Amino acid sequence: MFETGTPTPASTADGTRDRLLEAAGEVFAQKGFREATIREICSRAGANIAAINYHFGGKERLYAEVLRYVDSQGADRHPLVVPNSAESPEARLAWFIRQFLSRVFDSDRPAWHQCIMNREMVEPTFALDELVDNNIKQRSVLLQGIVREILGAEASDQVVQRATASVVGQCLFYWHCRPVIGRLLPHIGFGPDSTGAIADHVARFSLGGLAGIRRELESAKRGGRA
């Protein structure tokens, strides 16, 4: 794991660190970690070649910080925790799905944000473990907790995790398969007004499937007692 540190006011006073993050994100998104060069990043940021070492300690730490920055930006704009904790697990799942899809289809963020995350998923680097441990895992635990409530006490960890993966898989399908969906299913749409409709559908579909699994589990338990 990398050491993380908060930059001091002196290190960020002229905005160099922020410019490096933005410039590095664009270059990494276009070329990937291995092909991106410190020289090009510093040139885009209008920074001295030594600035990356000064602010981040090297190219690897810079890349990890860019991923963390992008992920945190999305989480801040579209928080996945339901404001009212008293809501039912079904309502919390619907909220999670809506926020997840709103984040994926957020057109107000720079295009490179989604591009670099897509690249990291397809061509994982050393930084993925840190991103999973520090950012993604807590959201997975949150979703698994919601799914477990819906499935009931009879659901094993494997059943819960597979169901959770299915929920997330539906959401990501609409993002990664957009070119094909647009050709095969043109009436689905991907505009700002359609994200909510897609989220409602994924929630209904997921809740129906989860209810069916719960009935099977409860039926199997009753059969075992017979």
Side-chain angles (χ1 to χ4, degrees), residues 25 43 59 89 124 132 137 143 179 189 201 225:
S43 176
K59 180 182 173 183
V132 169
K137 184 178 290 184
L143 181 55
H201 166 75
R225 291 200 301 261

Side-chain angles (χ1 to χ4, degrees), residues 42-108:
C42 289
S43 176
R44 289 200 189 194
N48 185 282
I49 196 71
I52 287 178
N53 276 334
Y54 176 76
H55 289 285
F56 300 96
K59 180 182 173 183
E60 289 189 357
R61 183 65 247 166
L62 171 61
Y63 181 76
E65 282 294 308
V66 168
L67 291 184
R68 185 198 62 78
Y69 166 73
V70 171
D71 188 80
S72 298
Q73 285 279 303
D76 290 344
R77 287 175 59 83
H78 305 285
L80 296 175
V81 179
V82 181
N84 182 1
S85 60
E87 291 279 3
S88 68
E90 291 80 7
R92 297 204 305 276
L93 179 62
W95 171 271
F96 186 102
I97 291 169
R98 180 175 289 269
Q99 293 297 89
F100 190 96
L101 281 168
S102 295
R103 177 180 177 179
V104 169
F105 286 99
D106 188 348
S107 59
D108 291 332

